[in-house]
Amino acid sequence: MNRTKDTARFARIADKVRANEALDADDGLFLYTYPDLLAVGALANERREALHGDKTFFNVNFHINPTNVCVADCKFCSFARLEPDAPAAYTMSIDEVKQKLLDRMDQPVTEIHIVNGLHHHLPLDYYKDCLRELKALRPDIHLKAYTAVEIHYFAEKYGMSYTQVLSELKEAGLDSMPGGGAEIFAERARRKLCRGKADADEWLAVHRAAHELGIRTNCTMLYGTVETLEERIDHMLRLRDLQAETGGFQTFIPLAFHADNNSLQKLPPPTGVDNLRTYAVSRLMLHNIAHIKAYWIMIGIKTAQISLSFGVDDLDGTVQEEKIYHMAGAETPQALSRVDLVRLIREAGRVAVERDTLYNERWTDDGEALDGIRIDASLPYSTQGQGVRLNVL
Ligand code: SF4
């Protein structure tokens, strides 16, 4: 490696970033292998601060996974059960789905995140009724529901176009879509990981159809399985191309692979360095996507805090009842309170901003109490706020 040549190349990439120019695939690969991780992080941080200053977003949300029964057999998945009567398989009734919200009617929740397995028998009305009944209970709640993989499955199963499926779900209460199911787009890796579910072009076509209907969506990339660095960069570039066409993506969320209880248990998890570098490279490659989110459930609270200096500007939300990654071995808490999140963000030297799903700002940390609770860094986490405490880690 020629250090002088590399330093000059990094400087040229930095100039492109500062001019808000699109980096190419070679630039992305170079950033993934450039030995000075802190320099890559600092450049990503520069871009993050140019876009958002010190603001770090979070929301107050919870998850519902109405069924884990799934016809697919993705190798990295610990959540799904192939048959409805398999051990630990479940499908909630609509009343059980409603109860999840009824249990939280006194909480300041603004969003429900809903994803499922690909159930063999459920009619489309089940998914529409979930949305309708939740909206009937709380008309102001934002429903971020059903991945592109689910939408593709519904379209095939019920003989409808993506636009028809999405229009019916929108009419029933769908407000936006999560970014799951993208995994890694490269066919070589996809064949090994998740043969048989929506492929890259189909995933992208669903999001294109959603954007055309005015439905904002998120996007993700699963990393740390069988993919190469070239395939990670290819994945980011395909997302960037669709964003240039539609502008409908809000947030990119890199998802670190968790190995417990699935067929890829021999694989080591991504390292802390890989996590931080992936956030930084994502921020730099995806110049046209506004937000980069660290899903604290997957990478742990400590790395999530550090990621706020590596290009990340969003820490997801309070979450509550996360199943998919905890079944894959995530050791993080099932939930964080608003007070926990604000303190985490303050400690990282940033300004916490509670947002709604569409990034409208609802509350900004001005150093005062939150929900009547004084956030005092000299006190242990367990004495502050409500929800699962950090000292369970
Ligand atoms: S990742 Fe999704 S589609 Fe694949 S097995 Fe799990 S629930 Fe089913």
Side-chain angles (χ1 to χ4, degrees), residues 208-222:
R208 183 180 289 107
H211 297 169
E212 283 166 359
L213 289 171
I215 299 169
R216 303 299 302 271
T217 72
N218 290 340
C219 50
T220 60
M221 174 181 76
L222 178 72

Side-chain angles (χ1 to χ4, degrees), residues 9 20 29 40 106 117 158 162 209 234 250 254 288 290 306 317 319:
R9 172 125 193 237
N20 200 22
L29 270 178
V40 177
D106 60 340
Y158 309 120
Y162 297 152
D234 163 73
Q250 301 201 102
N288 60 358
I306 300 168
V319 181

